[in-house]
Amino acid sequence: MKICGRTAKCTGGHSAVEQSGYISREIMYSEYDGKTYYPKYAEDLVHNEVLLPENAPEEYKDPKKLWNSVEMFEKKDDAQLARTWRIELPNNWTYKFAIMFLRELCKRLFVSKGMCVQFAIHDSENDKGQRNLHAHIMLTMRSIDEQGHWMPKQKKVYLTDENGERIPVIDEKTGQQKVDKRNRKQWQCTTIKTNDWDDKKYGKLWRKELTDAINSANAELGMTENFWEYRSFKEQGLDIIPQIHLGEKASAMERAGIKTIRGDINRDIIARNAIINAARAAYEKAKEELAEVVAIPVTAIKTFKSEIVDMIRKMAERNNNRLTLPVMKGKFIGAVSDRAALQDKAKMEAYVQSKGWTTFDEMQADRKELKANYETMEKSRSDMTERMSYLQKLLDFNDEYYEPYHKYNIEYWKLKGAEDKNGKPLGFFKKSQAEEYKKQHQAQLNSFKMYKSALKDMIKEPDKKITPKAWKKELDGLKEKYQQTERPLSDAIINLAKMEVLSYNKRYLEQTLQNERSERNRTHIRNRDQIL
């Protein structure tokens, strides 16, 4: 975790507005310094969101207003503006799950303590085609009072004696209480922080909370092969040397082939950790070999003539032997966890062959039909979800309120029915058991009538019958039917996501080829002009 502030010591940036624009991939104007900050990247943004505590103004949901307010409130040249935290996420999580996870984590760790939080999720790809799902978190450093105003970072508190009285500041020479220039009495005091968010204990605590939450989420998803560790290598008793963070500028220079001091440090660290890197490389090679075993033989694919397969191969030649992935433009891609498979050349060629598509028109025809089926399934599942929610509410109300008092009504009418059939007891001293029961349980019987009326109001059916057994039977049937639709729906989503990737790469390749033709024409014209 780093600090964004106005001094050189702050390694998390020097403008909160600039940092917000960087993680949200938005153009941001800073009211404090009068600069407009332009993000350098945009294609990797998955999600951007601001979370607020109870007292924060609603307008702070706009990151521009939130961080401009932070910057304008801070007057000092050495002011600290925000905490920034970059965290890694499992690459096999879907975007939807990652968003839900980050939202709940930020609420629990930060918003609950009174912080305003902006988080953004990115899914980038390095030069080797390896994906990197990660998130950036920005946290405010000041608390917000009940009126929605920024509070001071610390406040003055008067010291008191054992009687709760303020302790005067005594002048040693006169023995009298000191006064200031305006003749105001002076009292002993100290300053205390208005929050403890800068306590060093939170660094390790938040890292532990993050890794515990990721491991717990992975366990629920059935992905237990990778255990996340919050402790440093040193804390784990390992001799491995961690690499240092290059930073944006050094990373760009290294990508351009220009060596940097930070890059040299990392290269030395990599050399020292050669054994681990070799093991990691062996693992990756084993994964590739396994994928080759299960993939359709290349010889079979080569005999299959298809303009889609041709497109895949041309794109792969220009993109590190992989397809490119539209992060924000695909409706179904965000629901797929194995996004690397969508970019895999061999797997996508095998997929096209399995479908028997020779042209994009054939693929689009199948896509149209599949999308219609998907929408039908989604509508059906939505209707089932609504009906299940309705039935569950009826059952919950019945079990919690109606049924506990129903037995009193049953007993009363049982007694009353017997008396009506056999006649009431004769004699002055012989009382009706039904009436006695009614007197003793009047409160329960009144509650029964009240809850019965409320339950009937909840029932949408015209007959208004209370039939919990029938509700339970229908609910169980709907749950089973809903579960049966999960696999077909999942298959439809994966297929539609693959078609999205293929369609996107087709457009991308067409634009690339057009650019290449234009460049060749410009080169030809320049060469011709030089000859003339």
Side-chain angles (χ1 to χ4, degrees):
M1 190 166 286
K2 299 179 179 180
I3 298 295
C4 173
R6 293 175 182 153
T7 66
K9 294 181 180 180
C10 298
T11 57
H14 304 302
S15 166
V17 172
E18 180 184 16
Q19 288 301 306
S20 175
Y22 171 76
I23 70 171
S24 63
R25 305 316 199 207
E26 288 188 25
I27 298 173
M28 301 277 267
Y29 174 76
S30 172
E31 298 173 12
Y32 176 79
D33 59 21
K35 295 181 180 179
T36 300
Y37 295 98
Y38 297 89
K40 295 182 179 179
Y41 312 100
E43 69 283 352
D44 63 347
L45 178 67
V46 173
H47 184 76
N48 178 53
E49 186 174 342
V50 173
L51 302 172
L52 302 176
E54 289 184 1
N55 298 334
E58 192 70 14
E59 65 177 12
Y60 285 176
K61 284 188 175 180
D62 182 350
K64 296 183 180 71
K65 294 182 179 180
L66 170 63
W67 297 112
N68 268 303
S69 174
V70 167
E71 294 226 12
M72 293 302 289
F73 190 82
E74 301 294 347
K75 307 301 181 185
K76 294 183 178 180
D77 293 337
D78 61 350
Q80 294 184 349
L81 306 170
R83 288 183 180 85
T84 64
W85 194 17
R86 185 187 190 278
I87 61 176
E88 304 299 322
L89 297 173
N91 283 319
N92 49 1
W93 279 7
T94 67
Y95 293 152
K96 292 179 182 178
F97 187 84
I99 293 167
M100 179 191 71
F101 176 86
L102 258 296
R103 185 182 292 130
E104 294 306 314
L105 182 80
C106 289
K107 284 181 180 179
R108 179 164 59 86
L109 295 186
F110 310 124
V111 179
S112 63
K113 298 179 78 65
M115 302 180 210
C116 300
V117 183
Q118 180 184 1
F119 75 89
I121 299 175
H122 298 167
D123 188 11
S124 59
E125 180 178 327
N126 64 18
D127 296 337
K128 298 178 182 179
Q130 298 168 327
R131 303 212 66 81
N132 177 219
L133 188 64
H134 62 278
H136 297 268
I137 298 174
M138 290 185 66
L139 309 171
T140 53
M141 305 185 74
R142 289 182 182 269
S143 301
I144 296 179
D145 63 23
E146 294 180 356
Q147 288 72 43
H149 301 139
W150 297 112
M151 294 176 62
K153 292 181 180 178
Q154 57 186 21
K155 61 182 179 180
K156 182 168 69 175
V157 176
Y158 289 104
L159 301 179
T160 57
D161 57 21
E162 62 273 9
N163 298 319
E165 299 293 333
R166 288 189 294 180
I167 302 173
V169 178
I170 303 300
D171 190 327
E172 294 181 359
K173 294 181 180 180
T174 63
Q176 301 296 316
Q177 184 176 3
K178 284 186 177 182
V179 295
D180 61 13
K181 294 180 179 179
R182 297 171 61 183
N183 205 35
R184 294 178 301 186
K185 293 181 178 179
Q186 300 293 291
W187 306 93
Q188 292 185 28
C189 63
T190 186
T191 57
I192 61 171
K193 296 176 180 179
T194 52
N195 63 57
D196 65 344
W197 304 342
D198 61 351
D199 194 313
K200 292 184 178 179
K201 68 179 181 183
Y202 286 120
K204 183 179 291 186
L205 176 64
W206 289 338
R207 290 200 310 273
K208 184 178 186 303
E209 289 283 349
L210 170 66
T211 52
D212 286 349
I214 289 176
N215 286 328
S216 176
N218 281 342
E220 290 184 11
L221 295 171
M223 300 184 296
T224 56
E225 65 276 7
N226 293 322
F227 181 80
W228 288 54
E229 175 62 71
Y230 75 94
R231 296 172 299 171
S232 66
F233 292 144
K234 184 177 181 180
E235 290 171 327
Q236 296 176 61
L238 301 175
D239 294 330
I240 301 171
I241 306 170
Q243 295 184 40
I244 64 173
H245 182 62
L246 283 180
E248 181 184 346
K249 293 181 180 179
S251 295
M253 292 174 69
E254 290 285 338
R255 284 196 298 270
I258 303 172
K259 290 188 175 183
T260 63
I261 294 175
R262 300 182 72 84
D264 289 340
I265 293 173
N266 275 347
R267 277 183 282 275
D268 182 59
I269 291 172
I270 290 171
R272 297 187 185 191
N273 294 332
I275 296 175
I276 294 175
N277 289 328
R280 200 171 288 165
Y283 172 71
E284 292 297 329
K285 185 177 181 181
K287 282 176 63 179
E288 291 176 5
E289 290 174 351
L290 179 61
E292 290 173 2
V293 170
V294 299
I296 293 176
V298 176
T299 54
I301 296 174
K302 284 182 178 179
T303 61
F304 181 70
K305 300 295 184 181
S306 167
E307 67 178 22
I308 306 177
V309 171
D310 291 342
M311 179 277 296
I312 293 173
R313 292 171 180 171
K314 289 177 182 177
M315 271 300 299
E317 289 174 0
R318 294 164 170 80
N319 193 46
N320 296 315
N321 206 35
R322 296 165 66 83
L323 297 180
T324 188
L325 192 67
V327 174
M328 292 297 291
K329 296 179 181 178
K331 176 181 177 181
F332 299 97
I333 292 171
V336 176
S337 60
D338 190 6
R339 291 180 294 280
L342 299 177
Q343 297 178 273
D344 189 282
K345 173 180 175 288
K347 289 181 179 179
M348 291 302 280
E349 285 186 20
Y351 172 70
V352 172
Q353 185 188 30
S354 70
K355 293 296 182 181
W357 295 326
T358 58
T359 67
F360 278 98
D361 289 341
E362 292 174 356
M363 185 189 80
Q364 292 300 337
D366 283 359
R367 178 182 177 277
K368 184 177 180 181
E369 181 181 352
L370 182 59
K371 195 167 186 294
N373 292 337
Y374 165 80
E375 290 171 351
T376 301
M377 283 190 287
E378 274 285 86
K379 177 65 168 60
S380 174
R381 284 168 63 90
S382 177
D383 292 342
M384 284 191 283
T385 300
E386 185 178 348
R387 181 68 180 174
M388 287 190 293
S389 176
Y390 163 68
L391 292 171
Q392 190 63 59
K393 286 179 181 178
L394 292 180
L395 287 168
D396 289 345
F397 192 91
N398 174 78
D399 295 344
E400 188 171 354
Y401 300 106
Y402 176 79
E403 195 58 40
Y405 296 101
H406 189 204
K407 61 184 180 181
Y408 296 101
N409 187 66
I410 293 173
E411 183 64 23
Y412 168 71
W413 284 104
K414 181 179 177 182
L415 294 171
K416 193 172 188 310
E419 290 178 355
D420 290 344
K421 181 179 180 180
N422 303 321
K424 294 181 180 180
L426 300 176
F428 181 78
F429 295 104
K430 293 184 177 180
K431 299 179 181 179
S432 166
Q433 288 184 342
E435 294 304 316
E436 282 297 308
Y437 185 86
K438 185 177 182 180
K439 287 180 182 179
Q440 292 174 6
H441 300 92
Q442 190 64 60
Q444 290 89 343
L445 291 168
N446 288 342
S447 295
F448 167 75
K449 289 180 181 179
M450 178 180 67
Y451 290 132
K452 179 181 179 181
S453 176
L455 183 55
K456 282 183 173 289
D457 288 341
M458 292 171 63
I459 298 173
K460 298 177 182 178
E461 287 72 21
D463 58 14
K464 298 292 183 180
K465 287 186 178 180
I466 299 175
T467 55
K469 289 184 179 180
W471 296 339
K472 182 69 166 60
K473 183 178 180 180
E474 183 184 359
L475 180 61
D476 290 342
L478 285 171
K479 285 181 178 178
E480 184 178 355
K481 187 177 179 182
Y482 188 89
Q483 190 173 9
Q484 290 171 353
T485 65
E486 288 182 355
R487 181 57 185 270
L489 186 73
S490 176
D491 290 344
I493 289 172
I494 291 172
N495 278 286
L496 288 167
K498 290 178 178 179
M499 294 180 200
E500 280 181 344
V501 171
L502 292 171
S503 297
Y504 176 80
N505 278 267
K506 177 179 179 289
R507 296 192 298 271
Y508 192 96
L509 179 62
E510 288 171 350
Q511 184 62 52
T512 301
L513 293 174
Q514 178 62 40
N515 293 339
E516 290 175 359
R517 284 192 294 269
S518 299
E519 181 59 31
R520 284 197 298 270
N521 290 337
R522 285 193 292 269
T523 302
H524 175 71
I525 292 171
R526 284 196 298 270
N527 292 338
R528 185 190 63 189
D529 291 343
Q530 289 175 359
I531 294 172
L532 295 176

